[in-house]
Amino acid sequence: ANTLGAYNFGVIDINGGANTTFLNNYFIDCDRAFSTTQWQDKAWKQFITRPDISKRILTEINIYSDAYKNNYPELGKLLDSNSISARRNYSFNTLAYNVATFSTGSAVIHQNVFNTNTDPGFADANAGNFTLIKYPAMLASSKDWKPIPFSEIGLRKN
């Protein structure tokens, strides 16, 4: 179980970050799934234009190289002052079970969240088996939703 701790963080805490997508996640028995601190535009611009950060972005990584342009086209807008206020994160197809507060802040746009305090169809939640044997219709109807394959997760013998 996740507890908020001294900083009131959720299981996922976004501290000014942007353009992150969370897809097909389960949050089970926690105080908060998402917490966010959306940086003000001025603070973001000061950070992103610091010499050490600019060097990392433009020289060490080079977000304008073909590798980044082809695979991460949104990075090309990172230093564009016109897009500074459009920093958002997205969550899709989320199952929240026994979550006290789903999300705080405005930095994440949530779509298709199934939030319940009633067992949604786990094989055996009391024994920690969160494999879904019955799919919540809200999630199952999304073309991008996939249940987490718990039987494929963990240590394996070679």
Side-chain angles (χ1 to χ4, degrees):
N2 163 268
T3 58
L4 296 174
Y7 296 104
N8 293 319
F9 289 151
V11 173
I12 294 176
D13 180 70
I14 299 173
N15 184 18
N19 300 318
T20 304
T21 298
F22 304 93
L23 179 64
N24 298 327
N25 287 283
Y26 296 1
F27 296 91
I28 300 169
D29 293 328
C30 60
D31 289 330
R32 181 174 295 152
F34 286 90
S35 59
T36 64
T37 306
Q38 185 70 13
W39 288 18
Q40 298 298 316
D41 292 345
K42 182 179 178 182
W44 175 252
K45 189 170 186 175
Q46 286 173 342
F47 172 78
I48 203 72
T49 58
R50 277 183 7 203
D52 61 320
I53 299 301
S54 293
K55 180 182 177 199
R56 188 175 301 152
I57 293 168
L58 299 174
T59 305
E60 296 171 11
I61 296 173
N62 186 8
I63 62 172
Y64 299 117
S65 70
D66 286 342
Y68 282 93
K69 274 195 290 191
N70 294 337
N71 293 299
Y72 309 101
E74 290 298 313
L75 279 178
K77 298 176 187 174
L78 191 63
L79 300 174
D80 179 2
S81 63
N82 294 324
S83 68
I84 282 180
S85 62
R87 296 181 322 273
R88 292 285 178 257
N89 299 281
Y90 304 90
S91 80
F92 301 98
N93 305 330
T94 305
L95 171 64
Y97 172 61
N98 287 338
V99 175
T101 301
F102 182 70
S103 185
T104 62
S106 61
V108 183
I109 297 168
H110 302 283
Q111 295 181 2
N112 203 27
V113 176
F114 183 72
N115 195 348
T116 183
N117 290 325
T118 304
D119 185 329
F122 295 130
D124 189 350
N126 291 331
N129 184 350
F130 299 107
T131 301
L132 285 170
I133 55 173
K134 182 178 83 177
Y135 300 156
M138 176 184 206
L139 295 174
S141 66
S142 172
K143 67 180 175 92
D144 296 327
W145 182 74
K146 292 181 179 140
I148 295 176
F150 286 100
S151 64
E152 299 174 20
I153 298 171
L155 297 175
R156 296 191 186 280
K157 291 185 178 183
N158 290 339

